[in-house]
Structure formats: structure tokens, C-alpha cells
């Protein structure tokens, strides 16, 4: 299931990528152009979610080499993000989430969205990695420009801008909202469709940290199962407490 959904997202991303680059922006109303950008950003986020699921071994369970290859391909589609840095930081993030040792956590003195986003970006692009990333992204853009009929405006609007918007979306729902408080991980329970649109169920963030081997599309179901178990457990605990009290 994980591989099929990942392939589906990748196919939509690929088709929308090449189709959007052929668009003559001037021929479309502004609202249509904005909708295309948002759709491309949503699919760009989906590509990163595929990478995230693969880093946890959820795309092809029991096949670490295949999952690692999927991560690398997906990060390349995100403009060529550095694999080793991202993998190491994400492992540290899961070891001590919402803690000063967590590379995703804010500096402990401010949780301002912009400042935290810049600090977060710096952690994943240390030293010259950011310049390498920009150079790689620029090379990819120039290659598309010279090897296709795409205009520079189309490349910026439908290839580069979605990457930026996707990073903000992922930061908002995957870092800022769930990890804002030190030592605390929060989930946000939106309606199913809104949860999918918001960030592929990334709002079920506590459940993800508790069950990292649960793929993104099963997080709502996992949350329901855990909630039902808690409801079943509470009467038992109350009964035991009353029994101990009477004794």
C-alpha cells in the first residue's frame, strides 16, 4: 500500500511538473495560476512525505536499501536536499523531540515563526550546504530552461515557488505547531479531508512520534485505536483504584 501510494503521488508530481512548465501564464486568469501553484506545492509536500515515510522504512517495510534509494530520489525532487544531514538530524529529532538537543527545536528563548524557520533551515543546511543546494537548484532550473520550451517565469512559479511553499507548510504542521512547547508534542485533530490537505496527516504528530513505523495514511486510524484503548483502560483503572481503596 505504501509503495502504491508513493508511486501515485510521484506520478501526479511528475505529470503536474512537466505539464505546468508548458503553460503560458499570460493566457490564464490569476486565480487559476494561483491554484496551479498551490496544487504543485501540495504535491511537492507529498514528495517530501514519501521521503519521510521511507526514512522510517514505511514505504517498503523490511527493505532498508530500497527505502534509502527512495529517500534520495524524493529529496532530489525537492531540489537536491542533502541526504546525510537530513537523515542524521531527523534521527536526533526523534531521539529528543522538543528539547534543546533537538535540531528541529527553537533556541529556547523565542518561538517566533520566522526566526525559528530560519534557524530550522540553518540546521539542515550547515556551512556551505545552503550554497551547494542553491547552486544545485539553479543548475536544475537552467537545465530545464535550455532543454525544454519552459519559460523562466514558469520554472520560478511552478517549480521553485512550490518548494518554498512546501517547506513552510511542512515547518508549520511538522515542527512549529506540534513542537512549540519544550518537552511537549501536540497533535491537531482536523477533519479527515482537512488533515490530508493540511499536510498529509502530519497533524497527528504525537501519534507519529509514538509509532514512527506507522505510515502517514494510517495515522488517523492509529489515533482512533489508541483512543479506544485508553477509553477501555480508564474504567479498569478506576475499578482497580476503588478495589485497592476498599482493601
Amino acid at each position: 500500500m505504501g509503495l502504491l501510494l508513493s508511486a501515485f503521488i510521484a506520478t501526479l508530481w511528475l505529470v503536474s511538473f512537466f505539464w505546468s512548465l508548458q503553460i503560458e501564464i499570460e493566457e490564464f486568469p490569476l486565480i487559476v495560476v494561483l491554484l496551479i501553484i498551490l496544487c504543485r506545492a501540495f504535491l511537492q509536500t507529498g514528495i517530501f512525505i514519501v521521503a519521510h515515510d521511507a526514512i522510517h522504512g514505511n514505504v517498503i517495510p523490511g527493505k532498508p536499501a530500497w527505502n534509502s534509494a527512495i529517500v534520495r530520489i524524493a529529496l532530489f525532487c525537492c531540489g537536491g536536499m542533502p541526504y546525510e544531514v537530513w537523515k542524521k538530524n531527523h534521527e536526533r529529532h526523534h531521539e529528543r523531540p522538543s528539547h534543546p538537543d533537538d535540531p528541529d527545536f527553537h533556541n529556547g528563548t523565542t518561538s517566533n515563526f520566522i526566526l525559528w524557520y530560519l534557524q530550522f533551515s540553518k540546521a539542515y543546511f550547515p556551512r556551505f550546504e545552503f550554497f551547494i543546494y542553491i547552486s544545485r537548484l539553479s543548475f536544475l532550473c537552467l537545465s530545464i530552461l535550455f532543454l525544454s520550451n519552459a519559460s523562466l517565469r514558469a520554472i520560478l512559479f511552478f517549480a521553485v515557488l512550490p518548494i518554498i511553499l512546501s517547506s513552510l507548510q511542512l515547518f508549520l504542521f511538522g515542527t512549529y505547531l506540534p513542537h512549540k512547547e519544550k518537552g511537549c508534542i501536540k497533535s491537531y485533530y482536523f477533519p479527515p479531508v482537512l488533515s490530508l490537505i493540511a499536510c498529509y496527516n502530519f497533524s497527528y504528530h504525537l501519534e507519529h512520534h509514538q509509532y514512527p513505523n506507522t505510515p502517514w495514511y494510517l495515522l488517523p486510524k492509529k489515533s482512533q485505536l489508541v483512543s479506544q484503548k485508553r477509553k477501555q483502560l480508564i474504567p479498569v483503572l478506576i475499578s482497580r483504584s476503588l478495589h485497592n481503596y476498599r482493601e
Side-chain angles (χ1 to χ4, degrees):
M1 185 65 175
L3 183 59
L4 287 175
L5 276 175
S6 298
F8 179 68
I9 292 171
T11 301
L12 289 179
W13 180 90
L14 200 61
V15 171
S16 69
F17 178 79
F18 286 107
W19 173 78
S20 63
L21 292 183
Q22 303 306 314
I23 287 177
E24 295 292 338
I25 296 176
E26 296 80 5
E27 297 179 2
F28 289 84
L30 178 60
I31 186 65
V32 174
V33 173
L34 291 175
L35 285 173
I36 295 171
I37 291 172
L38 290 177
C39 288
R40 286 283 305 130
F42 176 72
L43 292 172
Q44 190 66 53
T45 298
I47 288 294
F48 186 86
I49 293 297
V50 169
H52 178 262
D53 250 26
I55 206 76
H56 287 288
N58 296 331
V59 176
I60 309 178
K63 301 289 184 180
W66 283 93
N67 280 295
S68 179
I70 291 171
V71 176
R72 292 179 184 275
I73 294 171
L75 292 183
F76 175 80
C77 293
C78 293
M81 288 181 64
Y83 169 79
E84 296 297 340
V85 174
W86 184 72
K87 182 175 183 294
K88 181 180 178 180
N89 279 358
H90 196 65
E91 288 173 351
R92 288 173 58 201
H93 168 64
H94 273 268
E95 288 171 1
R96 306 199 74 179
S98 300
H99 187 275
D101 292 340
D102 175 7
D104 291 13
F105 192 57
H106 57 74
N107 57 18
T109 59
T110 178
S111 57
N112 176 274
F113 182 88
I114 299 299
L115 295 178
W116 188 358
Y117 176 75
L118 293 175
Q119 177 194 317
F120 173 85
S121 301
K122 184 179 177 182
Y124 282 83
F125 295 98
R127 298 180 183 177
F128 297 107
E129 283 290 349
F130 179 73
F131 297 102
I132 294 173
Y133 175 75
I134 294 298
S135 299
R136 189 181 294 130
L137 186 60
S138 300
F139 176 76
L140 290 173
C141 291
L142 289 173
S143 298
I144 295 169
L145 184 64
F146 286 109
L147 296 176
S148 70
N149 295 323
S151 66
L152 180 60
R153 186 184 298 181
I155 293 171
L156 293 175
F157 278 23
F158 304 128
V160 177
L161 185 55
I163 291 176
I164 298 171
L165 294 176
S166 171
S167 72
L168 290 169
Q169 181 183 15
L170 287 160
F171 176 74
L172 175 63
F173 291 101
T175 301
Y176 181 77
L177 290 177
H179 295 290
K180 195 172 182 180
E181 298 179 21
K182 182 179 178 181
C184 177
I185 306 173
K186 287 185 177 181
S187 284
Y188 292 83
Y189 303 106
F190 304 125
V193 175
L194 184 58
S195 177
L196 174 64
I197 294 173
C199 202
Y200 294 80
N201 298 328
F202 230 35
S203 54
Y204 289 87
H205 213 74
L206 176 60
E207 288 79 0
H208 166 62
H209 276 267
Q210 291 175 326
Y211 309 98
N213 293 326
T214 299
W216 66 269
Y217 53 90
L218 291 179
L219 285 175
K221 186 176 181 180
K222 174 64 75 173
S223 178
Q224 291 176 357
L225 291 173
V226 171
S227 179
Q228 289 173 0
K229 288 181 179 179
R230 285 173 182 166
K231 289 178 180 178
Q232 294 171 357
L233 184 61
I234 288 173
V236 174
L237 292 175
I238 292 174
S239 176
R240 287 178 180 176
S241 298
L242 289 173
H243 180 73
N244 294 334
Y245 175 76
R246 288 168 182 169
E247 290 182 346

